[in-house]
Structure formats: structure tokens, C-alpha cells
Amino acid sequence: MKTVKKNKEIILHSLMCSVGGLLAGYAILCRGNLGSAQTLNLIDIMLGIVGRNREEVIFRVFGAVIYILGIESYILIKEKTKINLRRYSVVTDMAGCVLLAFIPPEAEHVVGIMPLFYILSIQWSVFRGTHGHNASTVFSTNNLYQLAHAASYAVMKKSKSELIRTLYYLNTLFWFNANVALSYFLVERFGMHASLFAFIYLVPAYIITFFDEKEHDREARVQKEHERIRSSL
């Protein structure tokens, strides 16, 4: 237990990367869409408007609104309440995964990932890295960039800090993509109910949110200060 408490931030980060990867693979395999981000959804909205599939535009616009509502709920809770945001994100993930399991397979494919638009926008807002590292737990583009950036400097300058950053992003990408691979076998065997396997990670993540909340508050302040410094550069 002492080891878990000592390393709880990186453990929690890894658990949520695992959830993000599992649900990303699940969305693509079950619905042919990615619910983790809005880039593809917005592209499909524009293509639908110009004639590709106008009937689908309504569903996709609604999906974008749900994604925004997830972000707005995060801001509202952060600014107006004392609710533990990490616990809130984990609980909404749990609820979303249960809901996903009971959406009929024949449902319109965008409708089938509506819960993901909401819960993953919250997860992205809440779990944005640890120890001063900006790392998403729901998609990988920036994480891959940061890995390449850190690895280059670790080699060129023989920098220990850049080596640590390299290992951090390797860990992030490993857990995300390992669970994308796992989602294939789970969906093959369990179909739509494969979303429930995210509880393997969500239950321990929920428990960890109760460890040393004051320390998490300090970590959040450090993360916020790092983001402020980056934005001023």
C-alpha cells in the first residue's frame, strides 16, 4: 500500500491511459468512429453539409454539443463546487461504460458513441498529465510529439531530465496502445459489452482518488503553473 501511495500519480495516470485506449479501440471496432476527440467528427460534419451524408450531420452536430457540454460541466464543477474532479471523471466513465454496453448494435453508429463524447471530454479535461508533463489519456498525437521531442534532446544533450520525460511518454503511449490491442480481443468475444472491462482500471482508479487529496491539490497547482509558464513563452 505504501508503494501505491508513493507512486499513485503515475499509477492513476497509467490506469486512465488504459481506459482511454480501451474505449478508443472499442469505439472504432464497434461503431467505426473515434469518440475520444472531435477532429474526425467535425470533418464529417463539413463533408455531410456539402453532400456526403446530410442526414448524419444532425447526429454529429449533437455529438459535438455533447462533447462541449462535458467540458462545460468540468469547468462548472471546478469553479463552483468542491467536488473531487478526478473522482467525478472516473464515476462518469463508469456510468458511460455501462450505458455503452446496452446501446443496441443496430443503433446509428454516431448515436452508439454519444456517451463517449461526454465522458472522454471530461477525462481529457481532468487527466492531463502529472509531474509537470502535459499528457492526454484519451488520444496520442501530442504524446507522440512529446516523446520524439524528449528522446531527441535526451540523445543530443545527454539530458537526464529529458530521459525521464522520454520514459514518461513511453509509459503513457504503452498503456494506451496496449489497451487498444486488448479491445480487439474483448470486442471479438463480448461485442458491445466489452466496454464493461474498463472497470478493471476504473475501480482501482476510483480508490486512488481517495489517497491524500491535499497532495493532489498541490499537484494540480503545480500543473497549472507549468501550463501558465508554457502559455507565456
Side-chain angles (χ1 to χ4, degrees):
M1 184 61 72
K2 288 183 179 180
T3 301
V4 173
K5 286 186 176 182
K6 182 179 179 181
N7 300 287
K8 63 184 180 301
E9 294 298 330
I10 190 64
I11 292 173
L12 183 58
H13 175 72
S14 300
L15 287 169
M16 298 313 294
C17 287
S18 299
V19 173
L22 184 65
L23 294 179
Y26 172 90
I28 292 171
L29 292 167
C30 290
R31 302 297 182 181
N33 275 263
L34 184 64
S36 307
Q38 282 297 295
T39 303
L40 178 60
N41 191 51
L42 294 175
I43 289 172
D44 280 328
I45 287 173
M46 298 313 299
L47 293 176
I49 289 173
V50 298
R52 180 183 174 189
N53 187 346
R54 293 181 181 178
E55 294 179 0
E56 192 178 288
V57 169
I58 296 174
F59 290 119
R60 292 197 172 277
V61 169
F62 188 56
V65 170
I66 289 177
Y67 196 88
I68 293 170
L69 287 176
I71 297 171
E72 293 301 322
S73 74
Y74 158 76
I75 295 172
L76 182 63
I77 290 171
K78 179 182 178 182
E79 299 297 332
K80 300 295 184 180
T81 76
K82 294 184 179 181
I83 293 173
N84 184 297
L85 282 165
R86 299 200 293 185
R87 199 172 304 141
Y88 168 68
S89 178
V90 171
V91 170
T92 55
D93 276 0
M94 289 177 172
C97 288
V98 172
L99 184 57
L100 285 169
F102 293 99
I103 297 177
E106 62 272 14
E108 206 280 336
H109 60 283
V110 180
V111 173
I113 59 171
M114 288 293 182
L116 290 177
F117 286 147
Y118 185 77
I119 67 175
L120 292 182
S121 70
I122 295 172
Q123 184 175 323
W124 180 37
S125 299
V126 174
F127 294 97
R128 303 179 65 180
T130 62
H131 302 96
H133 301 300
N134 184 11
S136 171
T137 61
V138 300
F139 44 78
S140 296
T141 304
N142 182 63
N143 295 334
L144 185 60
Y145 168 83
Q146 294 291 345
L147 172 63
H149 188 276
S152 296
Y153 278 99
V155 172
M156 288 190 297
K157 296 189 175 182
K158 297 184 174 15
S159 168
K160 183 177 180 181
S161 63
E162 292 297 337
L163 176 59
I164 292 172
R165 195 159 71 99
T166 299
L167 294 175
Y168 180 87
Y169 284 103
L170 273 174
N171 175 78
T172 299
L173 288 166
F174 170 79
W175 288 110
F176 184 93
N177 289 287
N179 281 276
V180 171
L182 176 62
S183 71
Y184 174 82
F185 301 102
L186 293 177
V187 170
E188 280 284 298
R189 177 67 178 82
F190 299 101
M192 298 299 171
H193 292 91
S195 63
L196 298 175
F197 281 85
F199 275 79
I200 295 172
Y201 306 114
L202 291 170
V203 170
Y206 179 77
I207 294 170
I208 291 175
T209 64
F210 287 92
F211 292 172
D212 300 328
E213 293 190 59
K214 289 184 179 179
E215 185 173 332
H216 164 59
D217 291 339
R218 288 195 297 270
E219 172 76 19
R221 287 195 294 271
V222 171
Q223 184 75 13
K224 187 175 182 179
E225 180 62 17
H226 277 281
E227 291 177 358
R228 186 191 67 79
I229 293 172
R230 287 197 190 95
S231 65
S232 66
L233 295 177

